[in-house]
Amino acid sequence: MANQNNHKNFTYAIIGSGALGGLYGGMLANAGFEVHFLLHRDFEHVQENGFQVESHWGDFHLPAASIADRIHASPETMPACDVTIIGLKTTNNHLLSTLLPAPTADGGVVLVLQNGLGIESDAAAVVNQIGNQSNEASRVLTGCCFLCSNKIAPGHIRHLDQGRIVFGDWQDCDGLQRSEESKKTSLDRPKSISPIAKQIEADFHAAGIEAQTTDDMLLTRWRKLLWNIPFNGLSVILNASSKELIDDEDAARLARLLMLEVQRGAAACGVTIPDEMIEKTLEVTRTMVPYDSSMRLDYLANRPMEIESLFWAPVHAAANAGCEMPMTRALALQLGFLQRR
Amino acid sequence: MANQNNHKNFTYAIIGSGALGGLYGGMLANAGFEVHFLLHRDFEHVQENGFQVESHWGDFHLPAASIADRIHASPETMPACDVTIIGLKTTNNHLLSTLLPAPTADGGVVLVLQNGLGIESDAAAVVNQIGNQSNEASRVLTGCCFLCSNKIAPGHIRHLDQGRIVFGDWQDCDGLQRSEESKKTSLDRPKSISPIAKQIEADFHAAGIEAQTTDDMLLTRWRKLLWNIPFNGLSVILNASSKELIDDEDAARLARLLMLEVQRGAAACGVTIPDEMIEKTLEVTRTMVPYDSSMRLDYLANRPMEIESLFWAPVHAAANAGCEMPMTRALALQLGFLQRR
């Protein structure tokens, strides 16, 4: 299956083999691609037991023997790969300068699958120090995963619902807002999807991953925030699942008001979120499985939450464009308090 | 002591003998005034043990024998009093039509010591059905208590800090906002403090209660909201005392932002809260004893919270005057969710 597209197969490095990296990397490996996983706490468990993936797309197991030379406790032992997928939380971005150089080949690309705004620049700063600087293609791809997946035990992923990756080339526009000029002309968007992105999309499809390239990742990131800001934020603050929130009259009203505020913030940054997208996002949440957002799991496990990338980055991007997001700001401050408790 | 002002002493009925009514009623009784207490759950305990008040103004005990004929399990047994003090939560205002008629004398006044905006109209609607309609003086007085007091056990009040009552005559301006004309001229404010209010103030002073009459209760109510909205709201939502909130960088920033929003809401309703009042309120909170707001205690005890009078009333008053209070609205919706949990 991995060879169906008649190109030399890309090799993949997964940095952060959790709910996201473990799922997508596991699916690529399960489909026959060469995938190298960087593991931290789970290394010994996976070395002994392999990866267990329960997915609404189909369960599978990667036996320990089949991935013995593909799992790594340190980036130093990883071979240089064509595509390095970053599935770490943005709260670990300070580690990227240590983690990216070994697995990222000269001319290889990094695909940043993290939440929030402006999060690509950390990876870009590292990658642009690696290998051939004259490579004219962008070395950084960026994507959002519309995904309900949790790591429920070491080496054990439970993928509950959805799963689509929307990704594309990253243009160095800070990842925050369009230039004044481009707000009308879309000049700072990639003219087309790069061949590398198209090949990765084909690989994802070959592995059974729902994936889609886009020339408008800034819109995609704000669309993702449309869900993350209300539901990640309120799930922590109100100690509730997405289902409990959407089923409550007041919490659902607040979610909608937050979405309208995100829509205004996006508009100030030159990104148009259509009204129907708000209704659709609410509707999808209503029919989605009850889900503990990654931020809620981080909070309950006493790990740092992605308050900067998910809340402060859009609040500041909008404020710089002249638009206040007072409700989102209030959520960010509430989360800051809860983080320190 | 009760006779020092050379007037026939007022008699007092206390409707809601908890953290507030129990303290002030207890102090009046302790100073020799005739005070009748309406008790609900605590009746039998107080009948047997009297009232225990720990107060930073001085502890005292009202022995059961001394108040045997002054405590009532039902309003029907209460004599008509000159002043009926309402210390109930506004969430119990639907009971006022049952509770007020018996203890309120023809021509007697009601002093509403409740939190929030527009809360006097419930009492006024009842009182204006009682007794002599030709009485030209307003039958409704209204006040705010700047008070840290909790009922810690049946018949047992702990008054931790502060305690000042600011009260005055109520003008029927909805209690919400000044008329357009009066925003500049103050025409809808009482021209002076009524003699009844002055006598009550003297009685309070005689009982050792810090009290102060005002001709601007609308300002006083918004000033109280300046504290209640951030600290009652966040103490429930973030499960924290006032001290834990004010000592945290983000929670203190959010409290200040909420205060600035309350200031804008008040301004839209014709009420000027000076900047210094915000700084002073923050400073007082910083140095105040760690305090569980009444709303937090209500929430923890599974009682209804005063979300309507403390949050929705100002949000709607400001909105009617053209001013959005998005952060306060978000808190109200969060509290609504938590109330139903």
Side-chain angles (χ1 to χ4, degrees):
Chain A
M1 187 193 289
N3 260 318
Q4 68 187 6
N5 292 315
N6 269 339
H7 59 67
K8 178 192 158 290
N9 277 335
F10 276 163
T11 56
Y12 289 85
I14 309 291
I15 306 298
S17 306
L20 186 153
L23 173 68
Y24 296 126
M27 290 181 76
L28 287 164
N30 196 42
F33 289 93
E34 181 179 335
V35 182
H36 291 267
F37 297 90
L38 180 66
L39 290 156
H40 184 47
R41 278 191 226 89
D42 294 2
F43 180 77
E44 286 181 20
H45 180 94
V46 174
Q47 192 175 37
E48 213 159 299
N49 306 284
F51 268 114
Q52 187 63 45
V53 178
E54 295 172 48
S55 168
H56 74 110
W57 286 340
D59 300 348
F60 62 92
H61 180 237
L62 297 179
S66 76
I67 51 171
D69 58 346
R70 304 276 167 92
I71 61 173
H72 304 266
S74 149
E76 306 312 321
T77 64
M78 298 181 86
C81 294
D82 300 309
V83 182
T84 304
I85 293 179
I86 302 180
L88 291 176
K89 295 280 162 58
T90 52
T91 48
N92 286 318
N93 274 7
H94 58 284
L95 302 175
L96 292 178
S97 59
T98 313
L99 301 179
L100 291 186
T104 307
D106 283 15
V109 298
V110 164
L111 171 56
V112 185
L113 295 184
Q114 298 180 306
N115 281 323
L117 274 196
I119 47 106
E120 299 88 350
S121 50
D122 289 333
V126 179
V127 171
N128 289 330
Q129 303 296 318
I130 300 169
N132 180 5
Q133 294 301 306
S134 67
N135 188 332
E136 66 184 37
S138 165
R139 305 278 308 273
V140 178
L141 303 174
T142 176
C144 287
C145 304
F146 296 84
L147 172 71
C148 298
S149 179
N150 298 139
K151 193 177 83 172
I152 58 168
H156 191 161
I157 313 296
R158 184 173 288 159
H159 171 209
L160 295 156
D161 208 347
Q162 303 194 62
R164 191 163 44 101
I165 305 177
V166 181
F167 72 105
D169 298 280
W170 181 65
Q171 299 302 106
D172 187 8
C173 62
D174 287 343
L176 292 173
Q177 60 171 300
R178 310 199 200 287
S179 62
E180 277 312 311
E181 195 184 358
S182 74
K183 282 180 184 174
K184 281 167 195 166
T185 60
S186 303
L187 270 187
D188 64 355
R189 296 200 220 163
K191 310 287 176 300
S192 60
I193 310 297
S194 68
I196 292 175
K198 289 311 264 181
Q199 180 172 342
I200 294 172
E201 185 184 28
D203 286 354
F204 283 171
H205 290 167
I209 299 166
E210 201 184 317
Q212 178 186 318
T213 50
T214 177
D215 69 349
D216 195 349
M217 268 307 297
L218 197 54
L219 170 61
T220 305
R221 292 215 159 274
W222 277 101
R223 279 182 61 177
K224 185 79 198 283
L225 290 171
L226 200 65
W227 196 88
N228 282 143
I229 285 176
F231 289 99
N232 283 33
L234 295 177
S235 71
V236 171
I237 295 161
L238 300 178
N239 188 27
S241 74
S242 57
K243 181 76 181 157
E244 290 169 307
L245 295 169
I246 198 79
D247 283 350
D248 179 83
E249 176 190 352
D250 282 347
R253 272 172 71 193
L254 181 51
R256 184 190 296 271
L257 289 172
L258 283 160
M259 287 183 179
L260 291 166
E261 188 173 277
V262 171
Q263 185 186 39
R264 287 193 294 276
C269 296
V271 173
T272 304
I273 295 180
D275 293 341
E276 311 84 73
M277 211 174 271
I278 292 177
E279 297 316 314
K280 196 184 152 193
T281 305
L282 286 167
E283 190 48 39
V284 165
T285 308
R286 221 167 266 126
T287 55
M288 186 168 104
V289 296
Y291 179 56
D292 270 347
S293 75
S294 60
M295 183 170 260
R296 187 175 180 214
L297 293 178
D298 285 340
Y299 175 63
L300 294 175
N302 239 325
R303 291 188 296 259
M305 296 185 283
E306 296 183 292
I307 308 175
E308 280 302 320
S309 60
L310 284 181
F311 289 82
W312 287 119
V315 164
H316 292 148
N320 286 339
C323 173
E324 265 305 305
M325 297 176 70
M327 290 185 164
T328 307
R329 186 185 288 271
L331 260 53
L333 292 167
Q334 291 180 328
L335 291 168
F337 174 85
L338 291 172
Q339 180 75 81
R340 273 185 291 280
R341 281 218 112 176
Chain B
M1 186 192 286
N3 260 320
Q4 68 185 8
N5 291 314
N6 270 339
H7 59 68
K8 176 188 160 295
N9 277 337
F10 277 164
T11 55
Y12 289 86
I14 309 292
I15 306 297
S17 305
L20 186 151
L23 173 69
Y24 295 127
M27 290 181 74
L28 287 164
N30 197 42
F33 288 92
E34 181 180 336
V35 182
H36 291 267
F37 298 90
L38 179 66
L39 290 155
H40 184 47
R41 277 191 228 89
D42 294 4
F43 180 77
E44 287 181 20
H45 181 94
V46 174
Q47 191 174 38
E48 211 157 302
N49 305 284
F51 267 114
Q52 187 63 46
V53 178
E54 295 171 48
S55 167
H56 75 108
W57 286 340
D59 300 348
F60 63 91
H61 180 235
L62 298 180
S66 75
I67 52 172
D69 59 345
R70 304 276 167 93
I71 60 172
H72 304 267
S74 149
E76 306 312 322
T77 63
M78 299 181 84
C81 294
D82 300 309
V83 182
T84 304
I85 294 180
I86 302 181
L88 291 177
K89 294 282 162 57
T90 52
T91 48
N92 286 318
N93 275 8
H94 59 284
L95 303 175
L96 291 178
S97 58
T98 313
L99 302 180
L100 291 186
T104 306
D106 283 14
V109 297
V110 164
L111 171 55
V112 184
L113 295 185
Q114 298 181 305
N115 280 323
L117 273 197
I119 47 109
E120 298 89 351
S121 49
D122 289 333
V126 180
V127 170
N128 287 330
Q129 304 296 318
I130 301 170
N132 180 4
Q133 295 300 305
S134 67
N135 188 332
E136 67 184 35
S138 167
R139 308 277 307 272
V140 178
L141 304 174
T142 176
C144 288
C145 305
F146 296 84
L147 171 71
C148 298
S149 181
N150 299 139
K151 192 178 82 172
I152 59 169
H156 191 161
I157 313 294
R158 184 173 286 157
H159 171 209
L160 295 155
D161 207 350
Q162 305 193 62
R164 190 162 44 101
I165 304 177
V166 181
F167 70 105
D169 298 281
W170 181 65
Q171 298 303 105
D172 187 9
C173 62
D174 286 343
L176 292 173
Q177 59 171 301
R178 307 200 201 289
S179 63
E180 278 312 311
E181 197 185 355
S182 75
K183 280 179 184 175
K184 279 165 195 168
T185 60
S186 303
L187 270 186
D188 64 357
R189 295 200 220 165
K191 311 286 177 296
S192 60
I193 310 296
S194 69
I196 292 176
K198 289 311 262 181
Q199 181 172 339
I200 294 171
E201 184 184 28
D203 287 353
F204 283 171
H205 290 168
I209 298 166
E210 200 184 317
Q212 180 187 316
T213 50
T214 178
D215 69 348
D216 195 349
M217 268 307 297
L218 197 55
L219 170 61
T220 305
R221 292 216 158 272
W222 277 100
R223 279 181 63 178
K224 185 79 199 288
L225 290 172
L226 201 64
W227 196 88
N228 282 142
I229 285 177
F231 288 101
N232 283 32
L234 296 177
S235 72
V236 171
I237 296 161
L238 300 178
N239 187 28
S241 74
S242 58
K243 182 76 179 156
E244 291 169 308
L245 294 169
I246 198 79
D247 284 350
D248 179 82
E249 175 190 351
D250 282 346
R253 274 172 70 193
L254 180 52
R256 183 190 297 271
L257 289 172
L258 283 160
M259 287 182 178
L260 290 166
E261 189 173 278
V262 172
Q263 185 187 38
R264 286 192 295 276
C269 295
V271 173
T272 304
I273 296 180
D275 293 341
E276 312 82 74
M277 210 173 272
I278 291 175
E279 298 314 315
K280 196 185 154 196
T281 305
L282 287 167
E283 189 50 38
V284 165
T285 308
R286 222 168 264 123
T287 56
M288 186 168 106
V289 296
Y291 179 56
D292 269 347
S293 75
S294 61
M295 184 171 260
R296 188 177 180 212
L297 293 179
D298 285 340
Y299 176 63
L300 294 175
N302 239 326
R303 290 188 297 259
M305 298 185 282
E306 296 183 291
I307 308 175
E308 280 301 320
S309 60
L310 284 180
F311 289 83
W312 286 119
V315 164
H316 292 148
N320 286 339
C323 173
E324 265 305 304
M325 297 177 69
M327 289 183 163
T328 306
R329 186 185 288 271
L331 260 53
L333 292 167
Q334 291 180 329
L335 291 167
F337 175 85
L338 292 171
Q339 180 75 81
R340 272 185 292 280
R341 278 220 114 175

PDB file of all heavy atoms in Angstrom, chain A residues 135-151:
ATOM      1  N   ASN A 135      17.538  25.472  -0.112  1.00  0.00           N
ATOM      2  CA  ASN A 135      16.281  24.812  -0.475  1.00  0.00           C
ATOM      3  C   ASN A 135      15.186  25.861  -0.548  1.00  0.00           C
ATOM      4  O   ASN A 135      14.852  26.506   0.438  1.00  0.00           O
ATOM      5  CB  ASN A 135      15.947  23.773   0.597  1.00  0.00           C
ATOM      6  CG  ASN A 135      14.770  22.912   0.180  1.00  0.00           C
ATOM      7  OD1 ASN A 135      13.915  23.355  -0.586  1.00  0.00           O
ATOM      8  ND2 ASN A 135      14.751  21.691   0.659  1.00  0.00           N
ATOM      9  N   GLU A 136      14.621  26.039  -1.705  1.00  0.00           N
ATOM     10  CA  GLU A 136      13.700  27.166  -1.814  1.00  0.00           C
ATOM     11  C   GLU A 136      12.299  26.847  -1.289  1.00  0.00           C
ATOM     12  O   GLU A 136      11.539  27.733  -0.968  1.00  0.00           O
ATOM     13  CB  GLU A 136      13.629  27.696  -3.247  1.00  0.00           C
ATOM     14  CG  GLU A 136      13.027  26.701  -4.222  1.00  0.00           C
ATOM     15  CD  GLU A 136      13.083  27.258  -5.647  1.00  0.00           C
ATOM     16  OE1 GLU A 136      14.082  27.933  -5.993  1.00  0.00           O
ATOM     17  OE2 GLU A 136      12.112  27.041  -6.387  1.00  0.00           O
ATOM     18  N   ALA A 137      11.976  25.571  -1.255  1.00  0.00           N
ATOM     19  CA  ALA A 137      10.645  25.227  -0.733  1.00  0.00           C
ATOM     20  C   ALA A 137      10.599  25.488   0.767  1.00  0.00           C
ATOM     21  O   ALA A 137      11.593  25.393   1.464  1.00  0.00           O
ATOM     22  CB  ALA A 137      10.332  23.765  -1.012  1.00  0.00           C
ATOM     23  N   SER A 138       9.438  25.850   1.219  1.00  0.00           N
ATOM     24  CA  SER A 138       9.283  26.061   2.648  1.00  0.00           C
ATOM     25  C   SER A 138       9.561  24.750   3.366  1.00  0.00           C
ATOM     26  O   SER A 138       9.148  23.682   2.922  1.00  0.00           O
ATOM     27  CB  SER A 138       7.867  26.540   2.942  1.00  0.00           C
ATOM     28  OG  SER A 138       7.614  26.425   4.321  1.00  0.00           O
ATOM     29  N   ARG A 139      10.272  24.836   4.479  1.00  0.00           N
ATOM     30  CA  ARG A 139      10.594  23.634   5.250  1.00  0.00           C
ATOM     31  C   ARG A 139       9.521  23.332   6.295  1.00  0.00           C
ATOM     32  O   ARG A 139       9.636  22.367   7.019  1.00  0.00           O
ATOM     33  CB  ARG A 139      11.940  23.840   5.985  1.00  0.00           C
ATOM     34  CG  ARG A 139      13.114  24.238   5.104  1.00  0.00           C
ATOM     35  CD  ARG A 139      13.718  23.028   4.431  1.00  0.00           C
ATOM     36  NE  ARG A 139      14.061  21.961   5.335  1.00  0.00           N
ATOM     37  CZ  ARG A 139      15.223  21.849   5.998  1.00  0.00           C
ATOM     38  NH1 ARG A 139      16.139  22.791   5.894  1.00  0.00           N
ATOM     39  NH2 ARG A 139      15.455  20.808   6.767  1.00  0.00           N
ATOM     40  N   VAL A 140       8.564  24.228   6.411  1.00  0.00           N
ATOM     41  CA  VAL A 140       7.575  24.071   7.482  1.00  0.00           C
ATOM     42  C   VAL A 140       6.173  23.941   6.890  1.00  0.00           C
ATOM     43  O   VAL A 140       5.706  24.814   6.169  1.00  0.00           O
ATOM     44  CB  VAL A 140       7.624  25.266   8.460  1.00  0.00           C
ATOM     45  CG1 VAL A 140       6.557  25.099   9.544  1.00  0.00           C
ATOM     46  CG2 VAL A 140       9.007  25.383   9.089  1.00  0.00           C
ATOM     47  N   LEU A 141       5.538  22.834   7.218  1.00  0.00           N
ATOM     48  CA  LEU A 141       4.112  22.662   6.919  1.00  0.00           C
ATOM     49  C   LEU A 141       3.363  22.760   8.246  1.00  0.00           C
ATOM     50  O   LEU A 141       3.933  22.530   9.305  1.00  0.00           O
ATOM     51  CB  LEU A 141       3.853  21.300   6.280  1.00  0.00           C
ATOM     52  CG  LEU A 141       4.627  20.986   5.001  1.00  0.00           C
ATOM     53  CD1 LEU A 141       4.366  19.544   4.576  1.00  0.00           C
ATOM     54  CD2 LEU A 141       4.240  21.952   3.888  1.00  0.00           C
ATOM     55  N   THR A 142       2.102  23.095   8.149  1.00  0.00           N
ATOM     56  CA  THR A 142       1.356  23.280   9.391  1.00  0.00           C
ATOM     57  C   THR A 142      -0.055  22.733   9.206  1.00  0.00           C
ATOM     58  O   THR A 142      -0.619  22.806   8.111  1.00  0.00           O
ATOM     59  CB  THR A 142       1.354  24.773   9.789  1.00  0.00           C
ATOM     60  OG1 THR A 142       0.541  24.937  10.945  1.00  0.00           O
ATOM     61  CG2 THR A 142       0.826  25.659   8.679  1.00  0.00           C
ATOM     62  N   GLY A 143      -0.568  22.161  10.270  1.00  0.00           N
ATOM     63  CA  GLY A 143      -1.897  21.566  10.155  1.00  0.00           C
ATOM     64  C   GLY A 143      -2.664  21.577  11.453  1.00  0.00           C
ATOM     65  O   GLY A 143      -2.099  21.749  12.530  1.00  0.00           O
ATOM     66  N   CYS A 144      -3.982  21.423  11.322  1.00  0.00           N
ATOM     67  CA  CYS A 144      -4.855  21.280  12.487  1.00  0.00           C
ATOM     68  C   CYS A 144      -5.536  19.926  12.396  1.00  0.00           C
ATOM     69  O   CYS A 144      -5.945  19.505  11.317  1.00  0.00           O
ATOM     70  CB  CYS A 144      -5.938  22.358  12.508  1.00  0.00           C
ATOM     71  SG  CYS A 144      -5.338  23.985  12.921  1.00  0.00           S
ATOM     72  N   CYS A 145      -5.677  19.291  13.546  1.00  0.00           N
ATOM     73  CA  CYS A 145      -6.362  18.008  13.597  1.00  0.00           C
ATOM     74  C   CYS A 145      -7.715  18.203  14.264  1.00  0.00           C
ATOM     75  O   CYS A 145      -7.789  18.685  15.385  1.00  0.00           O
ATOM     76  CB  CYS A 145      -5.538  17.007  14.396  1.00  0.00           C
ATOM     77  SG  CYS A 145      -3.869  16.837  13.739  1.00  0.00           S
ATOM     78  N   PHE A 146      -8.762  17.861  13.539  1.00  0.00           N
ATOM     79  CA  PHE A 146     -10.103  17.913  14.118  1.00  0.00           C
ATOM     80  C   PHE A 146     -10.398  16.504  14.621  1.00  0.00           C
ATOM     81  O   PHE A 146     -10.877  15.645  13.886  1.00  0.00           O
ATOM     82  CB  PHE A 146     -11.102  18.404  13.070  1.00  0.00           C
ATOM     83  CG  PHE A 146     -10.809  19.824  12.636  1.00  0.00           C
ATOM     84  CD1 PHE A 146      -9.876  20.082  11.644  1.00  0.00           C
ATOM     85  CD2 PHE A 146     -11.429  20.900  13.258  1.00  0.00           C
ATOM     86  CE1 PHE A 146      -9.571  21.394  11.262  1.00  0.00           C
ATOM     87  CE2 PHE A 146     -11.140  22.200  12.878  1.00  0.00           C
ATOM     88  CZ  PHE A 146     -10.217  22.454  11.886  1.00  0.00           C
ATOM     89  N   LEU A 147     -10.083  16.295  15.873  1.00  0.00           N
ATOM     90  CA  LEU A 147      -9.819  14.955  16.387  1.00  0.00           C
ATOM     91  C   LEU A 147     -10.257  14.840  17.831  1.00  0.00           C
ATOM     92  O   LEU A 147      -9.973  15.702  18.647  1.00  0.00           O
ATOM     93  CB  LEU A 147      -8.293  14.750  16.307  1.00  0.00           C
ATOM     94  CG  LEU A 147      -7.667  13.518  16.941  1.00  0.00           C
ATOM     95  CD1 LEU A 147      -8.039  12.274  16.129  1.00  0.00           C
ATOM     96  CD2 LEU A 147      -6.157  13.667  17.022  1.00  0.00           C
ATOM     97  N   CYS A 148     -10.972  13.749  18.140  1.00  0.00           N
ATOM     98  CA  CYS A 148     -11.221  13.393  19.535  1.00  0.00           C
ATOM     99  C   CYS A 148     -10.417  12.149  19.829  1.00  0.00           C
ATOM    100  O   CYS A 148     -10.828  11.043  19.450  1.00  0.00           O
ATOM    101  CB  CYS A 148     -12.698  13.089  19.795  1.00  0.00           C
ATOM    102  SG  CYS A 148     -13.804  14.464  19.510  1.00  0.00           S
ATOM    103  N   SER A 149      -9.275  12.319  20.452  1.00  0.00           N
ATOM    104  CA  SER A 149      -8.422  11.171  20.734  1.00  0.00           C
ATOM    105  C   SER A 149      -7.735  11.404  22.065  1.00  0.00           C
ATOM    106  O   SER A 149      -7.357  12.528  22.395  1.00  0.00           O
ATOM    107  CB  SER A 149      -7.383  11.018  19.611  1.00  0.00           C
ATOM    108  OG  SER A 149      -6.530   9.920  19.860  1.00  0.00           O
ATOM    109  N   ASN A 150      -7.601  10.366  22.854  1.00  0.00           N
ATOM    110  CA  ASN A 150      -6.921  10.478  24.148  1.00  0.00           C
ATOM    111  C   ASN A 150      -5.918   9.343  24.280  1.00  0.00           C
ATOM    112  O   ASN A 150      -6.159   8.238  23.789  1.00  0.00           O
ATOM    113  CB  ASN A 150      -7.932  10.359  25.311  1.00  0.00           C
ATOM    114  CG  ASN A 150      -8.991  11.455  25.325  1.00  0.00           C
ATOM    115  OD1 ASN A 150     -10.155  11.186  25.580  1.00  0.00           O
ATOM    116  ND2 ASN A 150      -8.604  12.678  25.031  1.00  0.00           N
ATOM    117  N   LYS A 151      -4.815   9.604  24.956  1.00  0.00           N
ATOM    118  CA  LYS A 151      -3.946   8.501  25.369  1.00  0.00           C
ATOM    119  C   LYS A 151      -4.487   8.031  26.709  1.00  0.00           C
ATOM    120  O   LYS A 151      -4.482   8.778  27.680  1.00  0.00           O
ATOM    121  CB  LYS A 151      -2.492   8.961  25.494  1.00  0.00           C
ATOM    122  CG  LYS A 151      -1.535   7.773  25.616  1.00  0.00           C
ATOM    123  CD  LYS A 151      -0.083   8.218  25.668  1.00  0.00           C
ATOM    124  CE  LYS A 151       0.276   8.626  27.087  1.00  0.00           C
ATOM    125  NZ  LYS A 151       1.711   8.896  27.254  1.00  0.00           N
TER     126      LYS A 151
END
